[in-house]
Amino acid sequence: MGRYLLNRLILMIFSVWVVTTLTFVLMHSIPGGPFTKEKKLPPAVIKALNKKFHLDDPLLKQYTNYMKGVITFDFGPSFKQRGQTVNDFISKGLPVSARIGFLSILVSLFFGIPIGLISALKHSRWQDYAVLILATVGICIPNFVIATVFIYFFGLKLKLLPIYGLNSWDAYILPVIALSFYSLSFVARLVRSSMLEILEQDYIRTARAKGLSEGVVILKHGLRNGIIPVVSYLGPLFTFILCGSFIIEKIFSIPGLGKYYIESISNRDYTTIIGITVFDTILLVTAVLVVDLIYGLIDPRIKIYK
């Protein structure tokens, strides 16, 4: 166990380093700089700003100094927001994005697993076909399209729900549903496929032959193994929710990490772009490790840390 965690920790550090290096190089490969859009600034002022933020240093020195900051979780100042640092953006935006993401994951699992189970139990019936159609639609349509449709019908036409901000509890409904629509559909299809295979296994027939109730057979013996593919999807699900929330946050004017990230791209705020990217990478590799460890808790037969 200890050796497995050590190897994974080394792999996580390497992954974060690769992402940080690639993002740093790509940002500095783009022609111009963060102050080139400031057309009204004279060259002397731009030169002074570059010197203040050490943008006139050799690229290797800039990279070395930035990596020192990453090690101490100091992602540097913002080039565009005076007196603000990337850490300030993360501390303000992360709680908001975390609430949206956590609720979306809960919705995906809470509805996706039962829907997939019902589809498997009603195989080749109208309920199964209805789930397949809805799941296919949910997977094929991007979440920003769903968000736009929700805003038009439920916000502008029917005026039932708020379409921007998070000033009340009902303001969470549209962004959470729009963000979780794809993952809910995918979870439902995963559970359906897994349960169709499991229900044909010999141990399910044995459990029924022993006289166990159908509910015990399905929930205790079938679903426990049927959700293993869902657990394996939690890592990519976390990534999808995290990245997809940036677009959803922008559409619904939610002050989360996505707001600062998208603004930093349009403003070419290098430190904010790199800092939030690195922070998201750290969250991702940590989530993948946690998911791998959960495998052994769900099914003791799975040994991932030999």
Side-chain angles (χ1 to χ4, degrees):
M1 178 68 171
R3 185 175 180 180
Y4 171 80
L5 290 177
L6 179 61
N7 292 336
R8 288 301 301 269
L9 181 61
I10 294 174
L11 181 60
M12 290 167 60
I13 294 174
F14 178 76
S15 301
V16 173
W17 173 75
V18 169
V19 171
T20 305
T21 302
L22 288 176
T23 308
F24 183 90
V25 172
L26 289 174
M27 287 297 99
H28 287 77
S29 299
I30 301 175
F35 307 113
T36 53
K37 285 188 175 182
E38 307 292 343
K39 297 181 180 179
K40 296 181 180 180
L41 294 179
V45 175
I46 296 179
K47 184 177 180 180
L49 288 172
N50 288 333
K51 184 176 181 179
K52 176 183 178 181
F53 292 105
H54 303 286
L55 294 177
D56 55 351
D57 291 342
L59 188 60
L60 181 60
K61 184 177 180 180
Q62 294 184 50
Y63 173 75
T64 303
N65 292 334
Y66 189 81
M67 290 304 299
K68 290 179 181 178
V70 171
I71 293 174
T72 58
F73 290 94
D74 180 9
F75 298 110
S78 169
F79 291 156
K80 294 295 184 177
Q81 302 292 332
R82 181 178 299 179
Q84 296 288 316
T85 66
V86 181
N87 292 57
D88 294 333
F89 296 153
I90 293 175
S91 62
K92 289 187 292 187
L94 179 61
V96 179
S97 296
R99 288 198 298 270
I100 296 293
F102 180 72
L103 290 174
S104 299
I105 292 175
L106 284 183
V107 169
S108 301
L109 299 178
F110 186 79
F111 290 99
I113 293 176
I115 290 175
L117 179 60
I118 292 173
S119 179
L121 295 177
K122 302 294 183 178
H123 181 52
S124 297
R125 301 180 186 177
W126 70 266
Q127 296 94 331
D128 185 27
Y129 295 133
V131 170
L132 286 177
I133 292 173
L134 291 176
T136 302
V137 171
I139 291 174
C140 294
I141 301 179
N143 56 13
F144 63 85
V145 175
I146 296 175
T148 304
V149 173
F150 282 176
I151 289 176
Y152 178 76
F153 282 103
F154 296 103
L156 300 178
K157 281 292 185 180
L158 301 178
K159 300 185 183 303
L160 295 176
L161 296 169
I163 59 175
Y164 62 89
L166 295 175
N167 298 321
S168 59
W169 67 268
D170 55 348
Y172 285 86
I173 296 177
L174 291 184
V176 167
I177 294 178
L179 185 58
S180 61
F181 209 83
Y182 172 89
S183 52
L184 188 155
S185 303
F186 198 85
V187 167
R189 289 184 68 96
L190 277 179
V191 174
R192 176 186 179 276
S193 300
S194 179
M195 288 301 299
L196 285 177
E197 181 180 352
I198 287 174
L199 291 176
E200 298 297 326
Q201 298 297 317
D202 291 337
Y203 69 89
I204 295 295
R205 298 190 184 96
T206 302
R208 286 170 173 162
K210 290 181 178 180
L212 298 178
S213 65
E214 190 67 12
V216 173
V217 172
I218 298 299
L219 298 178
K220 184 177 180 180
H221 297 279
L223 188 59
R224 182 174 181 179
N225 294 320
I227 63 173
I228 291 179
V230 177
V231 175
S232 66
Y233 176 62
L234 288 179
L237 170 61
F238 183 84
T239 308
F240 173 80
I241 293 294
L242 187 63
C243 297
S245 65
F246 287 0
I247 302 175
I248 296 299
E249 288 173 12
K250 183 65 175 179
I251 293 175
F252 288 96
S253 300
I254 297 173
L257 278 178
K259 170 181 177 291
Y260 299 108
Y261 192 76
I262 293 177
E263 289 179 353
S264 67
I265 294 176
S266 60
N267 293 330
R268 301 182 69 173
D269 194 346
Y270 291 167
T271 50
T272 303
I273 296 173
I274 302 173
I276 295 181
T277 301
V278 173
F279 182 76
D280 289 345
T281 303
I282 294 173
L283 291 180
L284 171 60
V285 296
T286 303
V288 172
L289 174 61
V290 172
V291 168
D292 288 345
L293 295 177
I294 291 176
Y295 277 137
L297 298 178
I298 294 181
D299 192 344
R301 296 173 299 176
I302 300 176
K303 300 296 182 182
I304 62 172
Y305 41 82
K306 293 181 179 179

